[in-house]
Amino acid sequence: MFDAQQFQVIAQLSPRAQQVVGFIMWMDSPAREIVLPRSQFYARLHFYPRNENMMAIQKAVADVVEEVRAALLPHLNIRIGDNDLGEQEQLFTITY
């Protein structure tokens, strides 16, 4: 998926951005799309709500998307969408 030069770029990313790129590499979806419920998104990518409100989490996600787009994956997007999993669960879609 990545060449040696791109792996050097990954090493320069912030820890959170490295987690997102690592998750994408681990999933390696041929469709270049990963869909997961909010609870799994938080757990796998360490976006824990802690005492932050949803706006702070959305800002953190936007910051990671901007960092990874600029350095490595220009088409990366993480969006929160409608769900079919019940009222309390939202789906996160990662495209790259």
Side-chain angles (χ1 to χ4, degrees):
M1 177 172 205
F2 296 114
D3 61 27
Q5 185 177 5
Q6 290 171 313
F7 277 111
Q8 291 176 350
V9 171
I10 293 169
Q12 302 302 314
L13 295 173
S14 68
R16 182 165 275 163
Q18 288 180 2
Q19 289 174 326
V20 170
V21 172
F23 181 72
I24 289 170
M25 291 169 56
W26 177 65
M27 294 294 288
D28 194 23
S29 171
R32 301 181 74 80
E33 180 177 274
I34 303 165
V35 179
L36 59 162
R38 177 178 56 190
S39 57
Q40 287 183 23
F41 178 85
Y42 287 162
R44 293 182 186 270
L45 299 175
H46 305 281
F47 284 99
Y48 295 114
R50 292 189 190 121
N51 292 327
E52 301 170 338
N53 62 29
M54 195 60 180
M55 294 298 288
I57 294 169
Q58 289 174 348
K59 169 118 177 58
V61 171
D63 290 346
V64 166
V65 168
E66 183 177 316
E67 179 182 1
V68 175
R69 274 184 184 169
L72 193 65
L73 296 170
H75 301 292
L76 178 71
N77 194 21
I78 300 175
R79 63 183 187 277
I80 303 169
D82 294 335
N83 67 73
D84 295 324
L85 303 176
E87 290 182 28
Q88 300 303 317
E89 193 68 275
Q90 291 177 311
L91 293 178
F92 281 70
T93 302
I94 303 170
T95 55
Y96 53 99

